[in-house]
Amino acid sequence: MRKFALPLAIILSVAVALLMNANDGTAPARFESQDDHAATHTMGDLILRDIVVSTGPGVHIDPASLPAPGAINDWAEIRKVETDSTDEQTRVRITYQVFYGVRGPETAELPPMRLRFEGGGGSPDVEAPALPVSVMPLIPPGIPDEKVAIRALRPAEPRTYSPYPQWLALGLGAFGAGLVYLLWMRGLLPPFAGPLPFRRACRDLQRLADQPSRDRAACLLLHRALNETAGEAVFGNRLEAFLERHPEFAGIREELVEFFALSREMFFAEAADGDAYARCLKLARRARRLERKSS
Amino acid sequence: MVTAAKLREALASGLLVLGLAVAAGSGYRLIVLARENAAIHDPRDVRLDENTTPEVVFAKAQALDRTGDHQEALRLYHTIQNDPIPAFRQRVHYNMGTIYLREAASLWHARGVLEHARVNALVEMAKENLKEALRLNPADQDARFNLEYAFRITPPPKEKEKANWQGTKSSVFSTLPGIPGGGP
C-alpha cells in the first residue's frame, strides 16, 4: 500500500495544479462602472445608461438576463437595450424614457439590475447598482393648475407636391424634345431647318408662283439646289455619279432625269413647257422631304 | 442612312410617348394632391369614405374639434391612429391626448371630485396618448408639457371603500355581533 502512496500523491498534485491553471484562464465577470447622471431631466427625456462589466475570454452575457423594453415602474420605461461584447468586457446600453410628472425638483432611482454571465467555467451574477436621477418640472411650480394653458392641437399639414412637379417637367421635356425632333425631321420647323438647299429652293419657288415668266427661273432654282447639294455643278450626264454620292435621292431618279430633259429643252431648244413650274415645284418638294430624312 | 434616320425617328417617337405618359401620370397626381390640399385647407364639406387620405381625415377631425364636436373628432382620430408613418401617427396621438386632457381639465376645474371617475378616465387616456406621442418623438416639447400637466391634474386616489364583507362560514366569531363604538 505504501508503495502506491507516493505516485498517487504526485498524480493528485499534478491534477490539482492543472485545475488551478484552468481556473486562472477565466476571470469571473465583474461590475466595473456605469454612467452617472448628474444632469437634470424633464418629462419625456431619454436617459442612456451604460453598464460596463469586465469579463474573461469565453464569458458572455446571458441574453435572457437583459431587461426587456417596456415600463419598469410608473415613471420610467425601457425603450432600447443594446449590448457590445469584446473578450475583455461587455457593455450594456439601456435607453430609458422618463414619464415622471413632478411639481418641483425630485430625485428618483432607476432600479438595480442583475445581469447573468455564462461560459468559462461559470461566472456569478453581476449586479449594477441603482441609478439616481434628478427630475425637474417643465411647468413653473408657482402657477396654479387652472392657470396653466394647455398647448394647442397640431394643425393638418398640406400634402407635399414633390416629386411630381419635377416628374411633370421631365415628362413634358421629353415629350417636347421628341415632338420637336419629329417635326424637324419632317421639315415642319422652318426656323430650325437650317440652310438645306431644297428647302430654300421650295421657298423660292413658292415666291415665284405669281410671276409671269417663272418656268426658267424655276429650273434655275432647282439646278442651284442640286449643285449646292453635290458641291459642284451637276449635269444630266453626271446624274448617276450624283445619285451614287447621294443615295437618299435615288427614289426620285426618274423625276430628276425628266427634269434634266425638261431643262435641256427649255434652255437649248427654246421649247416652252407651260407645266415646267409645277413639275419643278413638285420635284423640289419631294427632294426636300428626302433631304430632311437624311440630314 | 435611311435605316439610321428611321431609328432616330423611332427613338423620337418613343421619347414622345414616354414623355407624354410621365407627364400625364404626374399631372394626374398633382391634380389629386391639389384637391386633397383644398380639402385639408377647408375640410368642412368633405365627405369621408374608406379612400379618404389620412391627412384629410386629420383635418376633418380638427375642424370638428373646433366646432365643439370632440367625440366625433376623437372617433376620426381613432381611425387613423395606426397609420404606418410615425411622424403622422405622432401628431394623431398628440392631438388625441390633448383633446382628452382639455376635457379632463375643464371637468376637473368645474366639478372637482364630483366627477372623479370621469376625470380620472380622461386623464389616463390623455396620458396614454401623450406618452405614445413622446415615444414616437421624444423631442416634442408640447407633448412633454401637456403630459406633465396631465400628471398635475391627476385626481388623488379616492379613499378605499369599506369592505361590505358578509361571512358565510359557520364560525362563531364571524357571526358574533359587534359592540357599537368598539369594545374594551
Side-chain angles (χ1 to χ4, degrees):
Chain A
M1 191 69 188
R2 285 181 61 190
K3 67 179 178 183
F4 293 113
L6 187 60
L8 192 62
I10 292 168
I11 290 168
L12 280 172
S13 61
V14 168
V16 167
L18 283 173
L19 281 171
M20 286 177 70
N21 282 338
N23 282 341
D24 284 345
T26 53
R30 181 171 52 83
F31 172 77
E32 196 167 289
S33 66
Q34 70 176 353
D35 286 2
D36 57 336
H37 280 267
T40 305
H41 298 283
T42 55
M43 172 68 74
D45 271 359
L46 296 177
I47 299 176
L48 289 181
R49 181 186 191 181
D50 275 330
I51 299 169
V52 180
V53 178
S54 57
T55 58
V59 178
H60 58 270
I61 193 164
D62 177 9
S65 71
L66 291 169
I72 51 169
N73 52 33
D74 57 352
W75 63 269
E77 283 185 11
I78 292 178
R79 301 300 312 280
K80 200 162 54 174
V81 179
E82 298 160 293
T83 58
D84 179 24
S85 297
T86 63
D87 279 348
E88 292 164 1
Q89 68 175 32
T90 295
R91 181 182 294 270
V92 180
R93 169 167 284 192
I94 303 158
T95 307
Y96 296 91
Q97 191 166 20
V98 176
F99 293 124
Y100 200 5
V102 293
R103 285 180 178 267
E106 284 188 28
T107 303
E109 277 190 346
L110 291 171
M113 194 174 300
R114 184 173 291 278
L115 301 170
R116 195 165 52 250
F117 286 81
E118 303 175 324
S123 296
D125 290 357
V126 170
E127 181 158 323
L131 185 68
V133 174
S134 300
V135 185
M136 283 280 287
L138 286 167
I139 302 170
I143 301 178
D145 287 352
E146 56 273 16
K147 299 282 183 192
V148 174
I150 296 172
R151 298 284 168 91
L153 298 186
R154 293 275 150 73
E157 290 178 357
R159 302 198 65 195
T160 176
Y161 289 105
S162 182
Y164 299 109
Q166 292 89 334
W167 280 108
L168 180 65
L170 192 70
L172 287 176
F175 175 76
L179 187 67
V180 165
Y181 186 72
L182 286 174
L183 290 175
W184 179 75
M185 279 184 78
R186 284 162 175 72
L188 298 172
L189 277 181
F192 304 102
L196 299 176
F198 285 104
R199 177 187 163 273
R200 194 167 58 239
C202 279
R203 193 180 57 207
D204 293 344
L205 280 167
Q206 280 164 351
R207 285 179 187 153
L208 289 177
D210 299 329
Q211 299 289 326
S213 56
R214 56 191 184 178
D215 296 340
R216 281 171 157 268
C219 285
L220 283 173
L221 285 172
L222 213 48
H223 275 296
R224 194 169 68 194
L226 277 167
N227 294 345
E228 269 187 51
T229 305
E232 60 184 6
V234 181
F235 300 104
N237 58 350
R238 297 178 65 180
L239 182 60
E240 285 306 319
F242 170 78
L243 290 175
E244 275 180 23
R245 287 201 303 276
H246 296 277
E248 66 268 22
F249 296 111
I252 54 171
R253 179 191 302 273
E254 287 182 14
E255 287 90 335
L256 284 171
V257 170
E258 287 172 11
F259 166 70
F260 275 103
L262 173 74
S263 171
R264 198 179 310 111
E265 285 176 12
M266 187 168 290
F267 288 107
F268 298 107
E270 295 290 341
D273 186 343
D275 198 25
Y277 171 77
R279 289 168 66 184
C280 285
L281 186 60
K282 186 180 173 187
L283 176 59
R285 282 177 174 161
R286 289 201 62 189
R288 180 184 64 180
R289 203 170 302 129
L290 298 172
E291 183 182 58
R292 287 272 175 270
K293 284 186 178 175
S294 63
S295 62
Chain B
M1 193 171 282
V2 175
T3 308
K6 281 184 178 174
L7 186 65
R8 285 203 298 270
E9 191 169 341
L11 283 174
S13 302
L15 193 65
L16 189 135
V17 171
L18 183 69
L20 191 63
V22 170
S26 310
Y28 174 74
R29 284 300 306 158
L30 284 171
I31 290 168
V32 170
L33 284 170
R35 281 184 186 162
E36 286 177 2
N37 279 343
I40 288 167
H41 182 67
D42 184 9
R44 284 173 301 179
D45 300 328
V46 172
R47 288 182 172 276
L48 303 177
D49 57 33
E50 64 272 15
N51 296 323
T52 309
T53 51
E55 196 69 50
V56 176
V57 177
F58 187 100
K60 180 76 176 177
Q62 205 183 24
L64 287 168
D65 180 65
R66 272 200 297 268
T67 58
D69 194 351
H70 312 301
Q71 293 307 311
E72 182 61 10
L74 285 169
R75 191 189 69 76
L76 290 184
Y77 280 129
H78 271 287
T79 63
I80 51 174
Q81 66 177 343
N82 295 322
D83 191 84
I85 301 169
F88 179 76
R89 212 163 58 233
Q90 198 268 344
R91 286 192 291 133
V92 172
H93 281 291
Y94 171 81
N95 278 10
M96 287 171 75
T98 302
I99 291 175
Y100 280 125
L101 178 65
R102 211 176 47 204
E103 296 287 296
S106 64
L107 204 57
W108 178 244
H109 298 321
R111 305 284 308 242
V113 290
L114 294 175
E115 290 285 359
H116 183 279
R118 277 184 65 196
V119 171
N120 215 19
L122 288 168
V123 166
E124 285 309 311
M125 296 294 284
K127 282 182 188 172
E128 274 313 303
N129 280 288
L130 291 168
K131 277 183 182 177
E132 186 59 26
L134 279 174
R135 285 183 197 113
L136 290 162
N137 178 17
D140 186 340
Q141 290 299 323
D142 291 346
R144 289 176 176 220
F145 186 94
N146 284 354
L147 181 56
E148 186 171 298
Y149 186 62
F151 276 97
R152 279 176 71 130
I153 65 164
T154 299
K158 285 175 84 174
E159 271 190 41
K160 201 173 180 183
E161 289 183 7
K162 286 182 180 174
N164 192 18
W165 183 76
Q166 292 183 337
T168 54
K169 283 168 66 177
S170 57
S171 160
V172 63
F173 298 107
S174 64
T175 53
L176 271 177
I179 301 168

